[in-house]
Amino acid sequence: MNKSKAQPKLMMEWNEIDWRKAEVKTFKLQKRIFQASERGDVKAVRKLQKTLIRSWSARALAVKRVTQDNQGKKTAGVDGIKKLTPKQRLTLTNGLKVTGKSKPTRRVMIPKSNSDELRPLGIPTMKDRALQTLVKQALEPEGEAKFEPNSYGFRPGRSCHDAIGAIYLSIKQKAKYVLDADISKCFDRINHKALLKKVNTYPTLSRQIKTWLKAGVIGQEVFLPTNQGTPQGGTISPQKSKHCLTRNGRTD
C-alpha cells in the first residue's frame, strides 16, 4: 500500500507538479505548527514538524526555491554543482531527508556596500541548501508564534518599512530618542551552544543544525573550522539587511 502511494511521485515529471497545491498543503501544516506553538503544545509542534519534513510537497517546494526561485540558484558549493535538470530536482526531492551530515561551505568574498572591504560568504552545496530550506519551513512557524511582536529583521512578511511605521506610531505624539546600533562582527561571533539552546528543537533536528554550524569552510583549497559564528550565504543565514527592532518606542 505504501509503495503504491509513493510510486506516482517517483514517476511524476517535474513540470507536472501542481505547485499551488503543494504550497497550500505546506502552508496548512505550517499554520497548525504556529497554532500549536501559540497554545504551548510542544508535543504537537514536534509531531507536526516531523510530518512537514517528511511531506513530499514541502520537500519539492524546498528544492524548487533553491534550484529555480532564489537569487543565488546558480552559485555552486564545494561540490561544484550549480544547476540541476528537472529529473535531478525530482531525485533530490525524493531523497531529501535529515541525515545529520553536511559538507563544508565554499568561501566567496564579495564587496561590502559603501565600503572597499570584502565580506565573506559561505555557500552550502545545493543539497544542503535544499535541506536547510526544508528545516526552515518547519521551524519558522514555531518561532513566529513566540517571537516579539515588534521585531522586524529576518522575518517572513516583514521589512524595515514596517519598523519605520512602528517607530512613527511610537513617536508621533511625543518626542523620543531612537537608537541605531550595529553590533560589530555579530554573525561572525555567534555562540553555537547558545544558538542551539535558543532554537530548542528535537534532538535529530538539533544535531543537523549543529552539523551545519560546525561544517567548516573551504576557501582557496584550504579548510577552516567554524567553531563560532554563522555562515552568511545559505538559505537560513542572515540576509544582507538591517535588523530593526523596536521595543517600547526604542529601536535596538
Side-chain angles (χ1 to χ4, degrees), residues 17-164:
I17 297 173
D18 186 339
W19 293 112
R20 176 60 182 163
K21 187 176 180 181
E23 287 172 356
V24 169
K25 281 186 175 180
T26 304
F27 176 75
K28 284 182 177 179
L29 274 172
Q30 289 180 309
K31 186 177 180 180
R32 290 175 64 192
I33 293 169
F34 178 89
Q35 291 170 334
S37 178
E38 206 170 32
R39 64 176 182 267
D41 191 343
V42 178
K43 187 176 180 180
V45 168
R46 299 290 175 256
K47 184 177 180 181
L48 289 165
Q49 285 174 330
K50 291 173 184 177
T51 301
L52 188 145
I53 286 174
R54 290 193 300 265
S55 164
W56 195 89
S57 293
R59 285 184 282 144
L61 278 175
V63 171
K64 181 177 182 289
R65 283 169 186 159
V66 166
T67 61
Q68 291 180 274
D69 298 342
N70 289 352
Q71 190 175 359
K73 59 182 178 287
K74 293 184 180 179
T75 306
V78 294
D79 56 0
I81 297 174
K82 60 173 67 176
K83 188 176 181 181
L84 296 181
T85 65
K87 186 175 181 180
Q88 288 172 325
R89 291 178 203 139
L90 204 57
T91 300
L92 178 56
T93 298
N94 288 322
L96 199 63
K97 61 181 179 179
V98 176
T99 61
K101 298 178 181 179
S102 174
K103 289 186 179 294
T105 60
R106 182 171 73 91
R107 171 65 54 83
V108 176
M109 304 299 292
I110 64 168
K112 286 186 176 182
S113 59
N114 303 320
S115 172
D116 293 332
E117 293 183 59
L118 294 176
R119 182 166 70 96
L121 294 184
I123 311 299
T125 63
M126 193 78 76
K127 184 177 180 180
D128 279 331
R129 294 206 295 268
L131 187 57
Q132 287 174 6
T133 303
L134 179 63
V135 170
K136 179 183 177 182
Q137 289 177 154
L139 290 179
E140 205 163 52
E142 179 188 7
E144 282 297 304
K146 300 182 290 186
F147 217 71
E148 297 186 41
N150 279 349
S151 174
Y152 299 94
F154 316 124
R155 294 182 68 183
R158 297 187 178 212
S159 69
C160 278
H161 292 291
D162 298 304
I164 292 168

Side-chain angles (χ1 to χ4, degrees), residues 165-166 248:
N248 299 327

